[in-house]
C-alpha cells in the first residue's frame, strides 16, 4: 500500500475510534448501567479488531504514520475529529 493511501486509512481509523468512544459516552450518559456495560463490551471488541487487523499492520508497514499519542512521530491534526458526534 502506498503512503498516501496508508495515511488516509490511518486517519479514517482514528476517526472511527473517536466516534466509537463518543458512542460509548452517549450510552453511558443515557442508558442503564447494564446497557452501558453490554454496549461498552461490544464496542471494545470492534475497537480491538480494528487495532489488531488494520491499525497494527498499517503501522508496521508505515511506522512514520504512528501518531504521537502512540509514541510515534506523526502529528495528528485535531480538526480531523470535528464535528464531534457527542460532547462528553
Amino acid at each position: 500500500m502506498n503512503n498516501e493511501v496508508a495515511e488516509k486509512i490511518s486517519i479514517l481509523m482514528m476517526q472511527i475510534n473517536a466516534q466509537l468512544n463518543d458512542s460509548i459516552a452517549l450510552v453511558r450518559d443515557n442508558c442503564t448501567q447494564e446497557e452501558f456495560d453490554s454496549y461498552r463490551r461490544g464496542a471494545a471488541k470492534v475497537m480491538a479488531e480494528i487495532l489488531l487487523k488494520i491499525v497494527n499492520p498499517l503501522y508496521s508497514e508505515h511506522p512514520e504514520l504512528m501518531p504521537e499519542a502512540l509514541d510515534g512521530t506523526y502529528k495528528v491534526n485535531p480538526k480531523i475529529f470535528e464535528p464531534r458526534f457527542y460532547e462528553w
Side-chain angles (χ1 to χ4, degrees):
M1 172 181 315
N2 72 46
N3 199 50
E4 182 180 336
V5 171
E7 183 176 25
K8 288 178 180 177
I9 290 172
S10 176
I11 290 168
L12 284 169
M13 294 304 109
M14 285 186 264
Q15 290 170 326
I16 289 167
N17 190 59
Q19 288 186 329
L20 283 167
N21 277 328
D22 287 352
S23 75
I24 292 167
L26 176 66
V27 172
R28 179 199 62 212
D29 294 346
N30 293 282
C31 297
T32 67
Q33 185 65 43
E34 184 178 297
E35 290 168 325
F36 170 63
D37 291 341
S38 176
Y39 186 84
R40 183 175 55 181
R41 278 191 301 275
K45 287 179 183 179
V46 172
M47 294 166 97
E49 283 296 305
I50 290 170
L51 179 69
L52 295 173
K53 303 286 173 76
I54 299 172
V55 174
N56 285 348
L58 183 81
Y59 294 152
S60 289
E61 186 176 338
H62 298 275
E64 70 281 2
L65 296 177
M66 180 150 335
E68 291 176 322
L70 299 176
D71 295 326
T73 59
Y74 186 83
K75 294 184 186 315
V76 177
N77 180 348
K79 297 273 186 205
I80 69 166
F81 301 111
E82 301 297 332
R84 291 294 304 262
F85 169 75
Y86 181 74
E87 294 293 330
W88 318 16

